[in-house]
Amino acid sequence: MARVASAVANTGESMSDSAVRSPGKAWLRRYRPVQSPRLRLVCLPYAGGSAAAYRGWAALLPHDVELLAVQYPGRQDRLAEPCVDDLPRMADLVTGALQGELGCEVAVFGHSMGAAIAYEVALRLEILHGVQVAHVFVSANAAPNRRPTRQLHRAPDDELVTEMSRLGAADMWLLADEDIRQLVLPAFRSDLRLIETYRHRPGALVSAPMTVYAGAADADVEVDAVAAWREFTAGPSELRVFSGGHFFLHEDTEELVRDVMARLRPQGAV
């Protein structure tokens, strides 16, 4: 991708100075801190999810790779903060939070909604900061040119719960408790609005290599729609299909992490 300021305008995205100054402490979770890492893997959760979705990944990574799991506002220890329901704004804020973490190679991974955020963060790192992102991983999310028009974020609470169940979300039994539902659903609704109103405007591609992950039994998005993400990088790309559903992220965690790390080995490593 040409790293020029005009490319920013072509994306139609907001990249405010205040976002760049945003502190990273609230946004990033280190479940296994690494001193002087070779690479940092930034992981973006799905709609309604939290950084804890990637907690188990830390123990599966090599000793010289540090996991940075992003914690969105409006959930868990950030419950009192307002949710961010605009994808460009979310990408601005995540990029700002990463400013102190760019002293080594950086790769980004995002699942479902997190895939689109990961892509936009990678764009910002390349355009605004001249960072050569090591790899972009997008998972279980339709590419911007294949995304259906939906308004599920406007649906009643019961429909949101049904949607979460249809996708196979973990811990569905928790939503039987009305108090817990009132804590969880606002973030899920906000995240749905974020992804359903996202409109990518052509004009810039990431230059990083891209791997696209899809679930063969995904009830939400077809493999071909996920595979179309390969049109959004100027670098090499590859598609890997897992046998599971939308949340193969949890069903095939160890195999997924092995595949990610195989693509992030240092040059010459066996």
Side-chain angles (χ1 to χ4, degrees):
M1 171 174 53
R3 292 187 177 89
V4 293
S6 60
V8 176
N10 288 337
T11 66
E13 311 295 12
S14 166
M15 301 187 185
S16 64
D17 291 340
S18 61
V20 173
R21 292 195 298 269
S22 177
K25 186 175 181 181
W27 286 85
L28 305 174
R29 299 290 176 271
R30 288 176 171 84
Y31 295 115
R32 192 204 63 182
V34 177
Q35 187 173 9
S36 302
R38 167 181 67 84
L39 178 141
R40 288 190 170 101
L41 178 61
V42 181
C43 292
L44 288 300
Y46 41 81
S50 68
Y54 297 102
R55 181 187 295 273
W57 284 40
L60 301 174
L61 298 179
H63 71 278
D64 58 353
V65 174
E66 184 173 55
L67 172 74
L68 296 181
V70 174
Q71 183 77 311
Y72 305 135
R75 62 212 76 200
Q76 293 191 336
D77 57 332
R78 302 189 71 184
L79 188 64
E81 300 177 50
C83 295
V84 177
D85 61 3
D86 176 77
L87 196 147
R89 176 63 176 163
M90 181 74 86
D92 282 347
L93 291 167
V94 173
T95 304
L98 291 172
Q99 291 313 292
E101 312 295 341
L102 303 178
C104 63
E105 281 197 299
V106 174
V108 294
F109 177 101
H111 186 80
S112 195
M113 176 191 78
I117 300 173
Y119 174 77
E120 291 291 346
V121 168
L123 274 179
R124 285 156 173 74
L125 289 174
E126 292 191 343
I127 293 172
L128 294 181
H129 304 289
V131 173
Q132 180 57 63
V133 176
H135 209 105
V136 177
F137 299 93
V138 291
S139 175
N141 181 263
N145 59 345
R146 297 291 300 274
R147 184 168 291 114
T149 300
R150 299 196 302 182
Q151 295 289 317
L152 188 59
H153 67 276
R154 299 180 183 275
D157 286 356
D158 287 347
E159 288 188 33
L160 297 190
V161 173
T162 299
E163 175 71 2
M164 294 175 76
S165 178
R166 184 181 71 86
L167 294 177
D171 299 330
M172 281 298 302
W173 61 273
L174 291 173
L175 297 181
D177 185 298
E178 183 63 28
D179 290 336
I180 294 177
R181 285 180 64 164
Q182 295 308 311
L183 292 176
V184 171
L185 287 182
F188 184 55
R189 184 183 301 280
S190 175
D191 290 349
L192 287 176
R193 183 182 188 282
L194 179 148
I195 193 60
E196 290 177 353
T197 60
Y198 170 52
R199 299 292 180 268
H200 174 272
R201 296 184 182 180
L205 303 175
V206 295
S207 63
M210 179 182 287
T211 299
V212 181
Y213 294 119
D218 193 331
D220 189 54
V221 57
E222 295 182 354
V223 171
D224 287 349
V226 183
W229 270 109
R230 293 179 293 179
E231 302 172 24
F232 290 83
T233 178
S237 62
E238 189 171 350
L239 171 68
R240 168 77 190 272
V241 180
F242 287 83
S243 60
H246 190 70
F247 285 102
F248 64 85
L249 173 82
H250 298 312
E251 299 162 6
D252 298 304
T253 302
E254 292 190 12
E255 178 58 29
L256 177 58
V257 174
R258 275 197 298 269
D259 194 87
V260 167
M261 293 317 306
R263 301 170 194 276
L264 293 174
R265 288 195 186 108
Q267 283 191 336
V270 179

